[in-house]
Amino acid sequence: MNIYLLVGIKFILGILIMILQIHILGKHEFSVNTPLNQIQNYVLGGIIGGVIYNTSISILTFLIFILVWSLVVIIVKLMINIGFIKSLVVGNPITLVKNGKVNVANCAKVGISAEQLMLTIRTEGLDSTEDIKSAIMETNGKLTIIDMKSSAPKFPLISNGKINEDILELIGHDENWVNSKLKERGIDSTNDVFLGEYVKGRLILTTYSNI
C-alpha cells in the first residue's frame, strides 16, 4: 500500500475515534482539566502521532491499539462515581480557606501562592481572607469561594448526590432539614438528586429521573 495512503487512512481513523469518544463521554469531559483527561490526551496523542507514520504497524494493529485505549477510558469514566476510583483518578477538592483561616499546607500542596490566592479573592469582590467562609480548589483547578456574609449561596447545596457541607452551614440548616425536604418530595436519598439549589429559603431539587 502506498505510504501516503496508509498514513492518511490511519489519520482519518484516529480522528473518527476521537470524535466517537467525544460523543460517548460528552463534550464537557474534554473541556475540563483533570488528571485523567491529561493522561488520556497524552496517550491518545502518542498513539496517533507515534504510530501514524510508522509504516511497519498495520492499519488493523493501529485500530486495535486505539480501540483498546478508548475502551479503557470509557470503563474508567463509567466507574468514576465509585469513591476510591474518583479520588485516585480525578482527585478531591481541597479546602484552602475555612472560616477566614488560610490552610498554608493545602495552598502549598496545590501550588497556589499567597499572591495568586489574594488575586482570586479580589476578583470575587472581597478584600480579605477573613471575608471568606470557604475557599476550595476544585478538581479542575478552579477556586470556588463562598462569601462569609452571603445569604444566597452561589453554589448548589446538593451536587451529583453529594451535600455541600459549607453551603449547609452557611444557610443555617443541617442534614435532617435536607432529608425532611427530600421526603416532602418523595425522594429517598440525596443519591437520587442531580442538583439541589437553595433559593430564597426554598430547596429546588432536580432528580436523576428528571434528566
Side-chain angles (χ1 to χ4, degrees), residues 45-61:
I47 292 174
I48 296 177
V51 175
I52 196 172
Y53 298 110
N54 191 333
T55 55
S56 64
I57 297 178
S58 67
I59 293 175
L60 179 60
T61 303

Side-chain angles (χ1 to χ4, degrees), residues 12-76:
I12 292 172
L13 287 174
I15 295 298
L16 290 176
I17 293 296
M18 290 180 67
I19 293 174
L20 179 63
Q21 282 192 19
I22 291 174
H23 282 293
I24 293 176
L25 301 175
K27 295 179 181 179
H28 177 70
E29 288 295 332
F30 286 81
S31 66
V32 295
N33 183 28
T34 65
L36 178 60
N37 286 349
Q38 290 186 17
I39 294 172
Q40 177 184 350
N41 293 336
Y42 292 150
V43 175
L44 195 58
I47 292 174
I48 296 177
V51 175
I52 196 172
Y53 298 110
N54 191 333
T55 55
S56 64
I57 297 178
S58 67
I59 293 175
L60 179 60
T61 303
F62 169 72
L63 190 59
I64 291 173
F65 283 162
I66 200 168
L67 286 176
V68 167
W69 172 244
S70 298
L71 182 61
V72 169
V73 171
I74 291 171
I75 291 174
V76 172

Side-chain angles (χ1 to χ4, degrees), residues 38-180:
Q38 290 186 17
I39 294 172
Q40 177 184 350
N41 293 336
Y42 292 150
V43 175
L44 195 58
I47 292 174
I48 296 177
V51 175
I52 196 172
Y53 298 110
N54 191 333
T55 55
S56 64
I57 297 178
S58 67
I59 293 175
L60 179 60
T61 303
F62 169 72
L63 190 59
I64 291 173
F65 283 162
I66 200 168
L67 286 176
V68 167
W69 172 244
S70 298
L71 182 61
V72 169
V73 171
I74 291 171
I75 291 174
V76 172
K77 291 287 186 179
L78 292 175
M79 299 175 63
I80 206 68
N81 288 327
I82 300 176
F84 76 94
I85 294 181
K86 184 175 183 179
S87 177
L88 177 65
V89 175
V90 179
N92 296 311
I94 297 177
T95 300
L96 305 185
V97 183
K98 181 73 172 181
N99 294 325
K101 302 295 183 181
V102 179
N103 189 318
V104 179
N106 282 350
C107 288
K109 183 178 180 180
V110 300
I112 187 170
S113 66
E115 291 81 5
Q116 291 171 323
L117 178 62
M118 288 307 301
L119 175 61
T120 306
I121 290 172
R122 288 195 296 270
T123 58
E124 293 290 325
L126 303 176
D127 299 321
S128 169
T129 55
E130 293 183 347
D131 300 324
I132 297 175
K133 180 70 176 178
S134 177
I136 300 172
M137 178 67 74
E138 305 290 355
T139 55
N140 62 0
K142 292 184 178 181
L143 194 60
T144 297
I145 296 178
I146 301 173
D147 186 350
M148 188 80 77
K149 300 177 182 179
S150 176
S151 59
K154 296 181 290 183
F155 305 100
L157 175 60
I158 303 174
S159 178
N160 295 320
K162 304 296 182 182
I163 296 177
N164 188 321
E165 298 293 342
D166 292 311
I167 296 295
L168 192 60
E169 183 180 345
L170 182 65
I171 64 177
H173 291 295
D174 56 20
E175 289 194 24
N176 290 331
W177 177 83
V178 175
N179 290 331
S180 67

